[in-house]
Amino acid sequence: MRMYYSRLKLASVLGVCLLGLLLCLPNGMRKPLPSIPWRQIHLGLDLRGGSYLLMQVDLQSLTHDRLQTLSENTRDALLDAHLGYQNITVDAAKATISFMPRMASETDADIAALNALPRAVPNEFSVSRREDGSIALVLAPESIRVRAREAVTQSIEIVRRRIDGTGAVDPEITRQGDDRIVVELPGISDPDRIKALLGTTAKMSFHLVDANPLHATYPPQGVSLLQMADPAEGGALPVFDHVDVDGSDLTNAGAVIDQQSGKWAVSFSFDSIGTHAFAAVTQTNVGKRFAIVLDNKIIEAPVIMSPITGGNGQITGGFDAQKATDLALMLRAGALPAPLSVIEQRSIGPSLGADSIRAGMISLGVGFVMVVVFMVLFYGRFGWYADLALLANLVLMVAILSLFEATLTLPGMAGMLLTLGMAVDANILINERIREEIARGRTPLAAMQTGFEKATSTIIDSNATALLAHVMLFVFGTGPVRGFALTITIGIVTTLFTTLLLSRMLMARWYARTRPTSLPV
């Protein structure tokens, strides 16, 4: 490694440092110039204040929904095979569907028909005959766990889409265990609207209303009494369990003003599958009531006046602007596979976040000053050069975090302070190696050149192993661990640049200008 810098190399190193300084500037401005696409570091929950929600997926509801689907598939499979059944029941607690065959001689045929049902996951359920002659379809525990993991993964994505639609900045949404989701919302100290958005499953479906007045009191099998969402519109209506159109076929939804009533409404549109199904049911059921059901409550049940073939519709359920916007947002984001319940909630006030920032900045400042004093006392002029490189290291770290609009947390600030200590280690290795070469009788230039050459491999090896470890922390860690690993990873890269290029450049330029007979180290 030669102690020589060409003008191009010198300009490149200084240009990187200047660019880093420019990228840092927006963080010191309350409102950067709008004409320039500045990027800033966002503060995490522990620094900015906000809300913490721990939510749990209702696995029992998930199991119940799957059993309901399987019970309908069971009826269809038996009827298609010209087989009868009696007293089909669903037991969600035991994850079982059971029924009595029409005749004992049909038992084997019943079991064969159910075994042919499609399974969502391998070995999802088993079919067997009980001692009392009934047939039971039992969900396997492992299949329930698999569906639970899939439900949490799907819920995380839907929760993220819903929160992003509210304009919340840098929400942190992570999995905890098999059935829990952690939601951190920096800057939101009153999360009631977010809780309402996340606590609503938003599972929409369209069902025909049973016109038989007797069924409004005694609903038969296949018909359920569902309450109206608005009590002012009446009590419960008998609704067929069969889903004529599934809300999952929606492609878009938005809050609009109804042209007839002048009130807020929610418009929606279907994909090709939903359009076909909607057209088919409205063509064959003109004059009948068609219920729009959201989370087992009827929003409205209008009469089908004419076939609707365009794949578009509108819901008028007595909404205000906020409710219409939120419902449209939930429909666009998609329905949760199972309800989410808040089992823990914490709020961090802005004052506590300000105290955390102040404490973190004090610790960072005190640590930086102590390092500066140590380097100057032990290594003189070369210590000053190391301190300049250390300051550039801090600037470049902040610049890169700003460039990626990273979220800074208290563990992240701790990572920045630790990075400064690691950067000092690299400069100490170089300076101590130069001292050793001087003690061996080398000339100043040879001592500097050999010191850098001998220390470089050690610095690269130690930082490479640390880089790999912290990359793994970032990949497999969550929350605060990822924030810590991110700042350390960035810090390692900037440390190698400032130590091996900037420090060496400062020392080389000083030597070229002064040509000293001895080194101040």
Side-chain angles (χ1 to χ4, degrees):
M1 180 179 292
R2 299 294 177 183
M3 299 298 294
Y4 170 74
Y5 270 68
S6 65
R7 291 184 178 180
L8 178 60
K9 193 172 182 181
L10 178 64
S12 299
V13 174
L14 294 178
V16 170
C17 295
L18 180 59
L19 178 61
L21 184 60
L22 290 175
L23 291 174
C24 286
L25 291 179
N27 295 287
M29 304 178 185
R30 290 190 176 182
K31 291 184 178 179
L33 297 176
S35 59
I36 303 176
W38 292 113
R39 296 190 177 187
Q40 294 176 299
I41 295 176
H42 300 295
L43 299 181
L45 186 68
D46 48 2
L47 297 178
R48 186 180 176 187
S51 297
Y52 169 95
L53 300 175
L54 178 61
M55 312 191 78
Q56 187 171 32
V57 177
D58 187 351
L59 299 184
Q60 187 172 0
S61 174
L62 187 69
T63 303
H64 180 269
D65 290 345
R66 179 55 181 162
L67 288 173
Q68 288 291 345
T69 301
L70 285 174
S71 67
E72 291 189 12
N73 294 342
T74 296
R75 292 189 181 95
D76 294 341
L78 294 177
L79 294 177
D80 290 344
H82 305 291
L83 300 170
Y85 58 86
Q86 304 176 50
N87 302 326
I88 186 167
T89 58
V90 175
D91 187 345
K94 296 181 180 179
T96 302
I97 300 171
S98 59
F99 66 93
M100 291 294 296
R102 180 175 55 186
M103 294 181 293
S105 60
E106 293 181 346
T107 299
D108 292 339
D110 289 339
I111 293 175
L114 296 187
N115 278 324
L117 289 174
R119 289 163 169 78
V121 296
N123 303 318
E124 181 184 16
F125 57 81
S126 60
V127 183
S128 61
R129 179 179 180 179
R130 290 176 169 176
E131 295 181 357
D132 60 358
S134 64
I135 296 175
L137 184 151
V138 183
L139 288 178
E142 180 59 29
S143 72
I144 296 177
R145 287 191 290 269
V146 170
R147 289 184 63 84
R149 289 193 293 268
E150 292 176 349
V152 172
T153 301
Q154 184 180 354
S155 296
I156 288 175
E157 182 58 32
I158 293 172
V159 165
R160 188 181 306 281
R161 290 202 296 263
R162 290 186 183 182
I163 292 179
D164 288 345
T166 66
V169 178
D170 286 325
E172 184 73 22
I173 305 166
T174 54
R175 177 198 297 266
Q176 186 181 91
D178 290 334
D179 61 348
R180 294 183 178 183
I181 299 172
V182 174
V183 180
E184 295 182 356
L185 304 169
I188 298 179
S189 57
D190 184 15
D192 289 340
R193 182 190 174 202
I194 301 295
K195 287 170 59 179
L197 284 175
L198 302 185
T200 303
T201 308
K203 186 175 183 181
M204 178 174 282
S205 54
F206 299 78
H207 305 251
L208 287 170
V209 176
D210 191 342
N212 191 328
L214 294 177
H215 295 169
T217 306
Y218 304 103
Q221 193 173 31
V223 176
S224 299
L225 286 177
L226 298 182
Q227 294 290 331
M228 298 294 294
D230 186 357
E233 296 185 6
L237 289 179
V239 175
F240 288 104
D241 293 339
H242 176 72
V243 177
D244 292 289
V245 185
D246 197 331
S248 61
D249 296 327
L250 289 172
T251 57
N252 195 18
V256 297
I257 299 291
D258 183 25
Q259 298 298 323
Q260 296 181 353
S261 65
K263 297 181 180 179
W264 283 97
V266 176
S267 64
F268 59 86
S269 57
F270 289 105
D271 59 15
S272 58
I273 296 176
T275 299
H276 177 76
F278 202 74
V281 71
T282 54
Q283 284 174 344
T284 56
N285 294 279
V286 174
K288 297 181 180 179
R289 298 185 72 180
F290 199 36
I292 303 174
V293 179
L294 180 69
D295 292 345
N296 293 321
K297 288 189 176 181
I298 301 174
I299 299 179
E300 59 177 336
V303 176
I304 301 174
M305 303 302 295
S306 60
I308 303 174
T309 58
N312 299 312
Q314 187 171 284
I315 305 170
T316 55
F319 303 112
D320 57 21
Q322 188 67 68
K323 290 182 179 179
T325 301
D326 288 348
L327 177 57
L329 169 61
M330 289 185 288
L331 294 179
R332 287 196 305 271
L336 291 168
L340 291 175
S341 57
V342 178
I343 61 177
E344 184 181 349
Q345 175 182 340
R346 296 197 303 267
S347 293
I348 299 175
S351 60
L352 181 58
D355 292 340
S356 299
I357 295 174
R358 190 179 303 109
M361 294 303 294
I362 290 174
S363 63
L364 191 61
V366 171
F368 185 82
V369 170
M370 293 180 66
V371 169
V372 168
V373 172
F374 172 85
M375 293 300 292
V376 171
L377 290 178
F378 276 79
Y379 299 107
R381 178 181 290 273
F382 285 2
W384 281 112
Y385 292 156
D387 291 336
L388 288 175
L390 200 62
L391 179 60
N393 194 357
L394 182 60
V395 168
L396 290 175
M397 274 195 293
V398 175
I400 294 175
L401 290 172
S402 301
L403 186 63
F404 291 103
E405 295 185 314
T407 300
L408 183 63
T409 61
L410 277 177
M413 295 185 73
M416 295 175 72
L417 185 57
L418 180 58
T419 298
L420 297 181
M422 295 169 60
V424 167
D425 288 344
N427 283 282
I428 290 175
L429 284 173
I430 293 172
N431 290 330
E432 288 296 330
R433 190 69 191 188
I434 292 174
R435 279 181 174 177
E436 291 179 5
E437 297 303 324
I438 291 175
R440 292 177 180 175
R442 290 184 181 270
T443 63
L445 179 60
M448 291 171 59
Q449 182 173 314
T450 305
F452 268 98
E453 288 178 349
K454 299 294 185 183
T456 296
S457 59
T458 303
I459 293 172
I460 292 177
D461 290 346
S462 61
N463 281 278
T465 53
L467 179 67
L468 291 175
H470 288 92
V471 166
M472 292 301 102
L473 275 180
F474 181 80
V475 171
F476 297 106
T478 58
V481 175
R482 295 191 71 184
F484 177 80
L486 177 63
T487 52
I488 292 289
T489 302
I490 294 174
I492 290 173
V493 176
T494 57
T495 294
L496 292 175
F497 173 81
T498 55
T499 302
L500 301 181
L501 293 178
L502 182 59
S503 291
R504 177 167 160 261
M505 183 199 75
L506 293 173
M507 295 168 66
R509 296 299 299 174
W510 167 79
Y511 182 86
R513 188 177 65 254
T514 60
R515 299 289 179 175
T517 57
S518 62
L519 296 178
V521 65

